[in-house]
Each structure stands twice: as C-alpha cells, then as structure tokens.
Amino acid sequence: MREPHTDTTLAINIRQYCVADAIHTWALFFHTIRHVNIRDYSHEQVMAWAPDDFDLSVWQQKMDKIAPFIAEINGVIVGYADLQADGYIDHFFCHHQYQGVGVGKALMQHIFMQGQLAGIMRFYSDVSLTAKHFYQHFGFEVDKQQEVLIHDEKLINFRMIKVV
C-alpha cells in the first residue's frame, strides 16, 4: 500500500471516463469510505455503504451511466466525479491516500467549467457528513438534511445546492 501523499505540487490531470476505469473507481470508492468516511459514520454504516461483497457488474453499469471525470496523478486514478445534465453531482470521491493535495479542488473546478459550457446554472448533490464542509467551501448551501437507508443502515446526508 502506498503512503499518503503530502506533496501539494502534484500535477492533476482530469480526463473522460472509459469503461476500464470502473474497477478502479470501485476500489477508490470502497477504500475512501472505509478509511475517510469512517470518521463520521459508524462501522456498521460504512460496511453497508461499501460492502465486501458488492456486485461489480452493478458498479460497472452505474459508472458507464454516469460517466464520471477521472482525476489522475502520474497515471494513478486519485479521484472521480460526475456532472449530470440537470446539474446533479451523483458521485464525488477522492482517493484516501491523496486527501488534501488538490484532487477535490481540481475536480470541482472541472465540474464548474463543464457546467458553464453546458449552461448549467444550478448544481446539487447529496453530500455525506464527511464532504459537507468541502462543498460549503465551494459555495454550496444545505437545502435539507436527509436520512437514507443503505442495506438496513440509516445514514445522514445533506442535499446541497449551488446556484451560479
């Protein structure tokens, strides 16, 4: 396992998703939830959110549908995020070993740029407790607190909105 990165001068490349990225985004999603979101959610909630026995074909279909932007550093996938035509950000995850080096910032700026090109005036997302402050930093405001049920576990998240 790689050591966490602390160099804040890493060159982050944002590119389009390809089908082969799905397995890598699953690993990133899984480990980020297990290592980062565990700070704000219980062990049981994290295990329900990122289960050991998830069907990867379901994940492949999800990633193919949302077609996220992929963030890379030196060819390593370090984050991914999507932007849907209505301004919805369904997934936004940064690799647990690349937290705090600008991956999230680069992805959010890319989302805003793509949104501007597409004429999107309202961005919104269902945001975890862990990501709430990050989204607020980029001008999102809490619309409402929500309770979601994932594999019999209740998790709190927030519908957050940014109007440009």
Side-chain angles (χ1 to χ4, degrees):
M1 187 187 279
R2 287 186 297 266
E3 289 297 314
H5 289 271
T6 56
D7 181 358
T8 58
T9 62
L10 298 170
I12 301 164
N13 178 51
I14 309 287
R15 64 170 175 78
Q16 293 297 314
Y17 166 84
C18 67
V19 173
D21 293 328
I23 189 73
H24 302 291
T25 59
W26 168 253
L28 191 153
F29 172 89
F30 179 88
H31 290 293
T32 300
I33 290 168
R34 293 283 183 97
H35 294 280
V36 178
N37 296 91
I38 191 70
R39 297 175 197 149
D40 298 302
Y41 294 93
S42 72
H43 175 76
E44 293 77 19
Q45 290 171 319
V46 165
M47 296 301 284
W49 191 2
D52 289 319
D53 60 349
F54 192 78
D55 182 347
L56 291 178
S57 68
V58 171
W59 184 264
Q60 180 78 53
Q61 291 172 13
K62 176 69 172 180
M63 291 298 104
D64 292 353
K65 180 180 177 187
I66 68 170
F69 306 112
I70 303 294
E72 292 181 322
I73 296 174
N74 297 326
V76 174
I77 296 176
V78 295
Y80 74 96
D82 70 296
L83 176 62
Q84 301 308 304
D86 67 349
Y88 185 59
I89 301 166
D90 190 2
H91 278 231
F92 196 115
F93 287 88
C94 298
H95 193 293
H96 71 283
Q97 293 180 322
Y98 290 83
Q99 298 281 312
V101 298
V103 174
K105 178 181 179 181
L107 281 166
M108 191 62 83
Q109 288 173 339
H110 189 77
I111 284 171
F112 291 156
M113 181 184 69
Q114 294 300 313
Q116 183 178 20
L117 292 172
I120 294 172
M121 302 300 291
R122 178 181 172 266
F123 298 90
Y124 67 106
S125 189
D126 297 313
V127 177
S128 70
L129 287 164
T130 311
K132 180 181 174 191
H133 294 295
F134 172 81
Y135 273 75
Q136 287 174 322
H137 176 77
F138 285 95
F140 285 79
E141 295 180 357
V142 174
D143 179 49
K144 63 183 173 181
Q145 182 173 313
Q146 307 174 123
E147 191 174 88
V148 293
L149 188 64
I150 301 176
H151 303 288
D152 297 326
E153 287 292 327
K154 291 180 183 176
L155 285 79
I156 299 295
N157 74 10
F158 304 89
R159 171 62 53 99
M160 297 189 74
I161 298 173
K162 176 179 176 143
V163 178
V164 293

